[in-house]
Amino acid sequence: MKKIAFIYLGRKGGAVPYGFEMAKSLLTKGVGIMCVLSELICNRDEWIELSSSDRNLQLLFLPTYNNKTGFIKDIFNRKPYTAAVTEIKKYNPDAIYLPMISLNARKLLFRLKGIPIVTTIHDYTQHPGMKNPITALIFNRIERISDKFVVLTAKYAPMISEKHSVPLEKIRHIPHANFSYYNKENRVPSFNIKNRILFFGRISKYKGISILLKAMDLLKDSMPELHLSIVGKGELSNDDIRIINSNSDRISLNNEWISDDQVWEIFDQADMTIIPYIEASQSGVVAISLSCGRTVVASDVGGLREQIDPVGGSIVQPGDPQALAKEISKLYSDHANLLDLNKRSYKYANELLTWDHSANKLIELIYGNNPG
């Protein structure tokens, strides 16, 4: 049996469903998995349920931190990690797979020499406003000891190759698969016009929320019926808050972490998703939006164009509120076309961006094109 040690020690965010869906699909292909997870991971119950239904999945939950004080204390908490290293060696996996780098993974990886490491790179560099030299140092060390890489947009394969002196054949582009994870009831999107656009996800400086708010201001007179929903936790500038408060009839803010069971409904209530980022490698929000049958308007940065071009999503100049406002207005000028874009997005995500395809590509990367 093929066996993989799967290590992700984060608690929440897009990597949680990403890792869960990849593991679930690998199991359907008869791959044995030892999953090493944070005991605080938000979908712990789902992992336990999955392991109870598939004997090829073993789970190890390790203590992690949830704040800065906990991080400092966690540095000295080595005993459970030493035990986990022993269990992983005993499992004797063919490879270690990181669906995303997590800080605590260092406690395991540096003591598991001799086992090939396959690392998924979600972000080529740290985002503006989120740079941390300690995190960067640890992540770079983990990347340097990795043997193979997964990139979510093809643009970054040669960059990773050059950065770590790794042959391109050891880097596999596996497009971010759909997030049907959030549609557990297999609902079909509502395809009608709601005059509502959506910004979804963690709010950070690099995500360009100020640009979107300025675009909304430009549309105030020509599209007074248009509503913007901002859904996600993060810090907003005083200017952003002022704009939101002065347009409370047109802009709503839900500044908190969103539970999984809310995600589908949030996207279904919108006509399109706006991604006005000023920097990006790729975006899991694109994958969610397409999965929910919603087209995307995104800045032309990183690999965003690569993600949305296949379904006719819109690309605009980054940092340009006028270009963004113009594109939103253009899409609403032809309702039939907008609904067609949404239907195409849903079809594309659920027929082509499948986890089955992603798992096949990962198995090929780990074992070669003819693993036998």
Side-chain angles (χ1 to χ4, degrees):
M1 174 187 285
K2 301 179 180 67
K3 294 191 297 183
I4 297 172
F6 174 117
I7 299 175
Y8 180 64
L9 295 166
R11 297 180 294 118
K12 53 188 177 181
V16 172
Y18 181 94
F20 183 80
E21 292 286 5
M22 182 68 87
K24 191 165 65 170
S25 192
L26 288 169
L27 289 169
T28 66
K29 300 178 182 302
V31 177
I33 303 175
M34 172 176 280
C35 261
V36 185
L37 304 167
S38 166
E39 65 182 10
L40 300 175
I41 195 165
C42 63
N43 65 342
R44 176 173 176 153
D45 290 346
E46 289 185 272
W47 281 105
I48 293 173
E49 182 179 351
L50 183 61
S51 68
S52 67
S53 64
D54 195 317
R55 63 181 183 179
N56 289 333
L57 174 63
Q58 298 181 35
L59 299 178
L60 283 177
F61 290 106
L62 294 179
T64 57
Y65 57 91
N66 57 13
N67 53 46
K68 291 181 180 178
T69 302
F71 175 74
I72 295 172
K73 292 180 180 179
D74 184 65
I75 292 173
F76 305 99
N77 188 18
R78 294 189 171 274
K79 187 174 181 180
Y81 285 81
T82 299
V85 167
T86 299
E87 289 300 313
I88 293 170
K89 288 180 177 179
K90 190 185 302 182
Y91 187 67
N92 192 27
D94 305 312
I96 296 169
Y97 167 59
L98 307 182
M100 187 178 194
I101 299 175
S102 46
L103 285 173
N104 274 18
R106 74 193 187 282
K107 295 183 178 182
L108 303 171
L109 297 175
F110 300 132
R111 293 190 280 174
L112 290 168
K113 294 179 180 180
I115 307 174
I117 300 172
V118 180
T119 298
T120 303
I121 304 296
H122 289 251
D123 296 306
Y124 180 69
T125 59
Q126 290 186 326
H127 297 301
M130 299 181 64
K131 293 184 178 180
N132 182 307
I134 296 175
T135 300
L137 177 65
I138 293 171
F139 279 27
N140 283 330
R141 287 188 66 194
I142 291 174
E143 289 178 19
R144 283 201 301 270
I145 65 171
S146 298
D147 301 274
K148 297 179 180 181
F149 295 90
V150 172
V151 292
L152 304 181
T153 48
K155 173 178 180 174
Y156 289 94
M159 297 167 70
I160 293 293
S161 175
E162 182 177 357
K163 180 180 180 181
H164 296 297
S165 301
V166 175
L168 277 172
E169 57 265 28
K170 292 189 175 183
I171 303 171
R172 186 60 52 92
H173 169 221
I174 305 179
H176 200 310
N178 69 57
F179 269 143
S180 54
Y181 176 87
Y182 295 114
N183 187 17
K184 294 179 173 60
E185 297 177 8
N186 295 316
R187 290 170 289 186
V188 176
S190 58
F191 294 114
N192 51 60
I193 300 299
K194 303 168 183 67
N195 291 309
R196 183 181 291 266
I197 60 177
L198 173 67
F199 176 96
F200 182 88
R202 188 180 64 236
I203 299 171
S204 301
K205 184 177 179 180
Y206 78 92
K207 293 196 174 181
I209 192 74
S210 298
I211 297 159
L212 176 53
L213 290 172
K214 290 174 183 176
M216 279 295 290
D217 195 50
L218 291 170
L219 293 167
K220 181 182 294 186
D221 294 331
S222 61
M223 299 185 67
E225 74 285 357
L226 183 64
H227 188 95
L228 165 63
S229 294
I230 301 171
V231 182
K233 188 172 179 60
E235 293 186 10
L236 292 151
S237 70
N238 291 334
D239 200 41
D240 291 340
I241 294 171
R242 179 187 58 77
I243 294 174
I244 292 169
N245 290 339
S246 62
N247 290 274
S248 58
D249 58 329
R250 301 176 61 244
I251 303 174
S252 59
L253 171 65
N254 185 354
N255 195 347
E256 60 183 27
W257 283 103
I258 305 303
S259 64
D260 291 347
D261 58 359
Q262 294 177 287
V263 173
W264 172 270
E265 190 65 31
I266 288 168
F267 279 85
D268 198 48
Q269 290 174 356
D271 297 314
M272 65 184 79
T273 305
I274 313 298
I275 301 185
Y277 299 178
I278 59 176
E279 190 273 343
S281 298
Q282 52 79 41
S283 173
V285 177
V286 171
I288 301 174
S289 186
L290 300 182
S291 304
C292 295
R294 296 298 176 254
T295 193
V296 175
V297 180
S299 303
D300 194 4
V301 294
L304 296 181
R305 177 185 289 273
E306 187 180 319
Q307 283 187 279
I308 68 176
D309 263 359
V311 285
S314 300
I315 290 290
V316 298
Q317 182 71 19
D320 189 340
Q322 290 186 334
L324 181 55
K326 183 178 179 181
E327 187 61 31
I328 292 170
S329 178
K330 177 184 173 183
L331 286 168
Y332 274 109
S333 70
D334 188 342
H335 287 182
N337 178 60
L338 175 54
L339 294 178
D340 182 61
L341 287 171
N342 285 345
K343 291 174 183 176
R344 286 167 57 189
S345 298
Y346 182 66
K347 181 180 176 70
Y348 172 73
N350 289 280
E351 292 184 4
L352 296 178
L353 291 181
T354 66
W355 289 102
D356 182 74
H357 174 77
S358 293
N360 284 337
K361 290 288 186 181
L362 181 60
I363 291 171
E364 288 176 6
L365 177 63
I366 294 173
Y367 293 97
N369 290 324
N370 298 296

